[in-house]
Amino acid sequence: MTAPLLPPSVPDLGGLRLPDAAACAVTVARLQGAREPRVVVVGNPNVGKTTLINAVAGTRLKVGNWSGVTVEKREAHLSHAGRRVHLLDLPGAYSLSPHTPEELIARTALMDEAPDAVMNVLDAGNLERNLYLTLQLMDFGLPVAVALNLVDEARDKGLTVDAPALSRALGVPVIETVASRSVGTADLMSGVLDRATLGVAVRYPAAIEEAAQDLTSCMSGLSTLPPHAHRYLALALLEGDPSVRGRLAATGHQPLLEAADAHLAALEARGLDPLIEIAEARYARAGDLARVAVPQAQARRTFSERLDRLTLHPLLGIPLFLGLVLLVFRLTFSVASPFVDLIGGPLQDILSGWASAGLAWFPLARDLVVGAIIPGVGTVLSFLPTLLVLYLAMSFLEDSGYMARAAFLMDRAMRSVGLDGRAFIPLILGFGCNVPAVYATRTLERRSDRVLVSMILPFMSCSARLPVYVVFAAALFPRSGSWLVWGLYVLGMAVAFLFALVLRRTSLPAEGGGVLLELPPYRFPAWRVLWKHAWRRTASFARRARTTVMGTVAVVWLLLALPAVSGQRFATVPPQQSLFGVVSQAVSPIFAPLGFGNWQATGALVPGFIAKEVVVGTLGQIYLGEQAAAPAPLGLVAGITQTLGAAWDAVKASVSALPTVLALPSLSAGPSADTQTPLAAALARAFTPASGLAYLVFVLLYTPCIATVGAMAQEHGRRVAWVTVAYQLATAWVVGLIVYQIASRVL
Amino acid sequence: MEERTLDQLNPGDAAHVVSLDPRHPLRRRLLELGFVRGAPVTVVRRAPMGDPLELRVNGTDLALRLADLRGIRVRR
């Protein structure tokens, strides 16, 4: 093993050249060029890796999921200077000793997929920590090229970055990039394809090196372990990496594990802890390299530090955070609701009108289209504007670095229910819509936390439940409406936190292991990346929810259309005599102890499973006998004109709502003067205040809507989803019972 | 030089890492993030509710709970 040849200007940093055989093999494979070379992109979180890969791959970037896990997989097949290349972005990782699902994926891909080259993305402003991962990569026998990203930010910090010097010291090409402005991306691709090479590995203390060499020689006879990973595996064994041990044990490498144990015992007898020795050696070298690459560092107070003095202020920090959340919801309501109304109102009416006219001779088909298909599609579509706006806001807060601050602010509060600060974000998103909140649990590290938060977040009262509260408040509590609504929100949160405690103590204990948050520097997110994220998440919801939601809508329609009494015809039967009405009637005694044991109230709960706001519509249908007013069929031209007109009105309403977002929120979520509708009057007759209250509590708690259930099934499996539905129904019944029994004596 | 654990430091204090408790639940992760012997650590601020603390190590800002800071010995 020869010492690296370094120009005299660069100090010999004591690095280690790996044998060239592996590099030659890779180079030959690459240059033979029969297949397209496969390049993996590796880097710490928050180094602008996603932005960089977007800048390189542009529209060719395909986003999916890694099989079996809910981690985004980004890849692209592209051509650079006439050559094809397959770019695969690995999830952000601080290290290749995995602590998170993301890091496990990154490590597994490096080990098993034997990429032709590795593109390692570094944050130029934070080299020392970023180089830790680079030095781990050097223990893999894979050709590496480094993208020194965010050099603009580093220079703003007052750092002088010397990429050529870093390149000489690391022994691999280093290319400066500013991903957000696509600076250096072409050079980077050429560097990766033409010059990626094995780098200078860390030289560990002699005792560690000897043990590692011995272990690699044990591996050399094994065809089961990829040769390029031998040195890395040997070191991981000495570090006691549990995932590597587990994997080798599962694949029948017991002799290797025994050899590692013998070495560990021998090292321990000499007073050495390999985990610490290896980390110290890597950091010593990372420090040396950083001093070579950033010869002059004059500390300058950065924008992030100044902003943090405000956002993390001891007194203002939390109010500011809550204000920001309020702003996001107001934005969602005011910008998205005109489009929600458009989809649920004029658009659906006009389409139904056309369908009724067009299918006039086929009553059954007409009823199916008008009664099930159009409302089903409409329900899915009406979720989309809300989701898109929420996802945009969420991605903005996440990519800007603010979400980590929110977790820092709220950690202490969340600790008292056995969670950490990061769990607060999905919960608060739940107030907007439970669906994105379920997907937001991905930001949590541990699976038990993800499942636990998903199971309690449907208790957070989403915006779709508000119309139900408002109608009842108008009917039964005209004076104290806003207090009632406020109380329901608080009750939902209280029940959620109570169950967090219960679930922690029983079925989902904390996996232990401390809490560590990184507070990355603030960055202004690239709009293109934000839009792509938000759009992709929304579209994926539409694709996946389509089947579940439409299926459920069709079943409810069928139940309402099937007569349960002789003498009634299919699809024209009044609700009470339909299968739906008869079943509701049969089920309703269950709710007698809660004060609303009649078929009307019970029946209206069923469509709430599809979407909570539908409860109001169904109550109207049942109590007022409102038929789904057969909309007047319009001519084709008239229909299109009217649709476009309504769409334009929605755009106008949405834009003109923007300034009001910043206005002070009015707390009067309660009824306005014109809400004493016929429905409110009917409800005032049908419910007592106590039974109305119990009904609202039940609506608050009873079941996540089908879209949320779908999201939960997708993220955590069907079992979690259905267990959640079941336990929430039980909770809603019990809490509803308590509320009714108390309220009926007090009110 | 007095030796103490990190949770006893106040915002603005700087210190050098001496050792990590071998049973620390975050030991590996902390080593990877640069809590190695001799590394300089600064306490930046306390969260509004008193816990966790924001620390700067290796140019990175991290937040750790007091309970997890008890296992990190430092020297001023």
Side-chain angles (χ1 to χ4, degrees):
Chain A
M1 217 138 301
T2 52
L5 289 170
L6 295 168
S9 61
V10 178
D12 183 342
L13 295 167
L16 186 70
R17 279 277 183 195
L18 290 179
D20 277 351
C24 294
V26 175
T27 311
V28 170
R30 195 175 66 210
L31 293 179
Q32 279 174 346
R35 65 206 172 92
E36 66 180 350
R38 192 174 163 85
V39 175
V40 296
V41 186
V42 182
N44 281 192
N46 306 313
V47 296
K49 202 157 63 74
T50 310
T51 313
L52 182 67
I53 200 154
N54 262 292
V56 170
T59 51
R60 276 180 293 273
L61 192 62
K62 297 278 171 292
V63 187
N65 266 344
W66 292 88
S67 58
V69 281
T70 51
V71 177
E72 280 188 358
K73 178 179 190 175
R74 283 174 286 268
E75 59 187 325
H77 295 271
L78 42 103
S79 64
H80 174 77
R83 277 178 299 169
R84 298 200 45 77
V85 51
H86 177 197
L87 209 59
L88 176 62
D89 185 22
L90 300 185
Y94 289 115
S95 129
L96 298 175
S97 321
H99 298 263
T100 60
E102 286 79 5
E103 289 174 341
L104 187 61
I105 290 167
R107 209 266 314 270
T108 308
L110 284 167
M111 217 151 86
D112 299 343
E113 304 199 4
D116 297 294
V118 179
M119 181 198 290
N120 180 205
V121 186
L122 305 186
D123 171 359
N126 196 354
L127 267 184
E128 213 166 319
R129 197 201 64 203
N130 278 250
L131 282 167
Y132 185 91
L133 179 69
T134 310
L135 293 173
Q136 268 190 319
L137 276 175
M138 300 292 178
D139 290 329
F140 269 103
L142 292 171
V144 175
V146 167
L148 198 55
N149 195 29
L150 303 168
V151 280
D152 53 340
E153 213 176 82
R155 297 208 168 99
D156 288 346
K157 268 199 222 172
L159 308 178
T160 321
V161 184
D162 187 350
L166 182 62
S167 168
R168 284 192 298 271
L170 275 174
V172 302
V174 175
I175 296 99
E176 291 185 17
T177 55
V178 182
S180 54
R181 288 187 277 119
S182 300
V183 172
T185 49
D187 287 350
L188 175 63
M189 285 312 291
S190 308
V192 171
L193 290 174
D194 299 328
R195 296 187 285 127
T197 176
L198 294 189
V200 181
V202 179
R203 192 194 292 277
Y204 300 103
I208 305 281
E209 283 291 345
E210 279 160 28
Q213 306 257 341
D214 184 56
L215 288 174
T216 46
S217 64
C218 292
M219 292 178 211
S220 59
L222 301 170
S223 57
T224 44
L225 300 174
H228 73 272
H230 283 181
R231 182 176 164 84
Y232 166 79
L233 284 172
L235 289 162
L237 279 173
L238 292 174
E239 287 178 294
D241 183 329
S243 64
V244 161
R245 286 191 71 94
R247 195 178 137 144
L248 290 178
T251 48
H253 292 91
Q254 271 72 19
L256 196 55
L257 291 175
E258 282 162 27
D261 287 339
H263 277 295
L264 283 172
L267 289 165
E268 198 185 337
R270 294 168 64 181
L272 293 173
D273 182 342
L275 181 63
I276 290 182
E277 300 291 331
I278 290 172
E280 285 184 356
R282 283 190 188 134
Y283 264 104
R285 182 150 160 80
D288 289 342
L289 289 167
R291 274 186 289 281
V292 166
V294 188
Q296 283 178 341
Q298 30 172 197
R300 199 182 288 177
R301 190 175 288 283
T302 60
F303 170 70
S304 280
E305 283 167 50
R306 283 197 301 271
L307 193 53
D308 270 343
R309 293 215 328 237
L310 177 67
T311 56
L312 302 180
H313 188 276
L315 295 176
L316 298 177
I318 292 176
L320 249 164
F321 166 58
L322 297 178
L324 206 61
V325 170
L326 198 65
L327 189 78
V328 168
F329 290 145
R330 288 176 65 85
L331 193 73
T332 312
F333 296 138
S334 7
V335 176
S337 61
F339 294 100
V340 176
D341 294 345
L342 168 72
I343 292 166
L347 198 60
Q348 230 167 292
D349 287 350
I350 290 164
L351 284 177
S352 302
W354 283 343
S356 313
L359 297 167
W361 299 102
F362 312 96
L364 200 62
R366 183 194 62 203
D367 291 341
L368 182 72
V369 169
V370 174
I373 294 178
I374 292 179
V377 177
T379 309
V380 178
L381 285 181
S382 66
F383 268 98
L384 301 188
T386 313
L387 284 182
L388 189 66
V389 177
L390 263 182
Y391 279 137
L392 269 175
M394 189 169 91
S395 301
F396 181 86
L397 293 180
E398 210 169 292
D399 294 358
S400 66
Y402 185 75
M403 285 294 200
R405 268 78 183 175
F408 176 69
L409 292 170
M410 301 313 295
D411 183 68
R412 179 63 192 82
M414 296 306 288
R415 196 180 84 194
S416 42
V417 292
L419 289 164
D420 72 66
R422 277 165 292 199
F424 197 73
I425 291 146
L427 289 179
I428 205 133
L429 273 175
F431 283 132
C433 177
N434 289 176
V435 176
V438 170
Y439 292 118
T441 58
R442 285 184 187 188
T443 52
L444 305 177
E445 262 172 40
R446 292 179 266 264
R447 184 178 143 80
S448 70
D449 290 1
R450 294 181 185 188
V451 173
L452 172 55
V453 172
S454 301
M455 286 182 75
I456 61 168
L457 72 83
F459 288 132
M460 311 305 272
S461 185
C462 69
S463 58
R465 282 169 245 187
L466 192 59
V468 189
Y469 306 157
V470 171
V471 167
F472 272 82
L476 301 168
F477 306 94
R479 299 241 173 93
S480 44
S482 25
W483 287 105
L484 172 73
V485 173
W486 182 82
L488 286 165
Y489 276 84
V490 172
L491 178 69
M493 282 174 76
V495 172
F497 289 140
L498 183 74
F499 270 97
L501 279 174
V502 170
L503 289 168
R504 264 287 177 253
R505 300 266 156 88
T506 54
S507 45
L508 290 164
E511 281 169 53
V515 174
L516 198 152
L517 300 168
E518 192 199 344
L519 305 177
Y522 289 105
R523 299 212 171 95
F524 205 86
W527 287 115
R528 202 166 48 136
V529 176
L530 282 188
W531 178 254
K532 263 188 171 174
H533 264 188
W535 181 252
R536 206 188 67 78
R537 287 167 169 176
T538 310
S540 119
F541 164 79
R543 261 198 314 279
R544 301 224 159 91
R546 200 171 44 191
T547 19
T548 356
V549 175
M550 286 192 55
T552 318
V553 172
V555 168
V556 171
W557 171 78
L558 200 66
L559 290 176
L560 269 165
L562 283 172
V565 182
S566 59
Q568 290 289 352
R569 276 189 53 235
F570 182 76
T572 56
V573 57
Q576 191 170 7
Q577 290 168 9
S578 67
L579 198 55
F580 178 80
V582 171
V583 172
S584 302
Q585 183 78 55
V587 173
S588 60
I590 295 178
F591 296 109
L594 280 69
F596 53 91
N598 55 53
W599 81 269
Q600 295 97 325
T602 308
L605 292 171
V606 176
F609 185 49
I610 299 166
K612 301 286 173 125
E613 63 266 45
V614 182
V615 172
V616 175
T618 313
L619 283 169
Q621 222 169 326
I622 293 173
Y623 280 109
L624 305 176
E626 275 174 13
Q627 289 305 313
L634 292 164
L636 187 64
V637 177
I640 292 175
T641 320
Q642 199 166 325
T643 310
L644 289 178
W648 175 237
D649 287 343
V651 172
K652 278 194 295 190
S654 175
V655 170
S656 65
L658 272 175
T660 64
V661 164
L662 285 170
L664 275 178
S666 69
L667 253 179
S668 60
S672 56
D674 59 347
T675 42
Q676 255 310 343
T677 54
L679 175 58
L683 290 176
R685 283 191 299 276
F687 286 85
T688 65
S691 68
L693 198 60
Y695 194 74
L696 287 186
V697 168
F698 194 84
V699 168
L700 164 72
L701 303 173
Y702 75 128
T703 167
C705 68
I706 186 68
T708 308
V709 174
M712 289 177 78
Q714 194 189 329
E715 293 289 297
H716 312 301
R718 279 159 200 265
R719 210 177 127 249
V720 171
W722 293 116
V723 166
T724 307
V725 171
Y727 102 92
Q728 293 208 169
L729 278 169
T731 308
W733 191 85
V734 172
V735 180
L737 176 74
I738 296 170
V739 166
Y740 178 69
Q741 294 303 330
I742 295 175
S744 57
R745 283 164 180 76
V746 176
L747 289 177
Chain B
M1 285 286 172
E2 38 166 351
E3 218 178 273
R4 49 175 75 189
T5 51
L6 251 182
D7 59 298
Q8 294 168 310
L9 264 53
N10 287 313
D13 290 353
H16 292 271
V17 175
V18 174
S19 64
L20 294 182
D21 183 337
R23 292 177 310 270
H24 199 295
L26 292 166
R27 184 158 176 260
R28 280 167 182 284
R29 174 95 318 177
L30 290 172
L31 283 169
E32 287 162 0
L33 288 169
F35 283 83
V36 292
R37 193 166 38 194
V41 190
T42 319
V43 178
V44 181
R45 65 168 57 81
R46 208 175 274 284
M49 286 183 256
D51 191 13
L53 291 191
E54 180 184 346
L55 309 169
R56 185 162 303 153
V57 66
N58 248 315
T60 310
D61 288 358
L62 300 169
L64 281 163
R65 287 178 176 175
L66 294 175
D68 295 326
L69 291 171
R70 244 163 250 146
I72 307 176
R73 298 199 68 79
V74 293
R75 180 174 294 157
R76 302 255 276 169

